Amino acid sequence: MDNIAKRMKAYIEIHPFDSGESDCKTVLDQLYQAYAESHESDPEEIKEGFRRLEEYLCSLPLQDNNAVFTLCCRLCIAYERKAFRDGLLYGAYLMRELN
């Protein structure tokens, strides 16, 4: 196992991360971007939540409606990103504990 880790470390040092055309600065950011892009449709629970939110937003003036909707979406994206990163971190800790 140590030999594999040493070889992987040497490979990483020779081949630094290149995000290409992406705005991602880390591999973790690029993994999240790929994950987010691969989920094109929301599950029914989220669709229903947005339908209910729309009912509340309809009573607001358009500018307030847009502000609340944008804030809600930004919070959802931030939470999704945090959950994704935390999940990978917990998986790494689990693998370390199992080894």
Side-chain angles (χ1 to χ4, degrees), residues 53-84:
L53 177 62
E54 184 65 27
E55 291 172 13
Y56 292 114
L57 293 177
C58 285
S59 64
L60 297 175
L62 183 59
Q63 187 173 359
D64 293 341
N65 178 314
N66 288 341
V68 171
F69 186 79
T70 299
L71 176 61
C72 181
C73 289
R74 286 184 179 158
L75 288 169
C76 290
I77 290 168
Y79 185 78
E80 179 186 57
R81 182 179 289 122
K82 181 182 179 337
F84 177 83

Side-chain angles (χ1 to χ4, degrees), residues 1-2 7 9 11-12 22 25 27 30 43 45-46 56 58 61 66 71 76-77 79-80 83 87-88 91-92 96 99:
M1 187 70 163
D2 286 337
R7 288 177 36 207
K9 184 178 179 185
Y11 180 86
I12 289 171
S22 172
K25 298 199 181 354
V27 173
Q30 202 156 22
E45 180 182 13
I46 292 174
Y56 292 114
C58 285
N66 288 341
L71 176 61
C76 290
I77 290 168
Y79 185 78
E80 179 186 57
L88 286 177
R96 189 172 73 178
N99 288 322

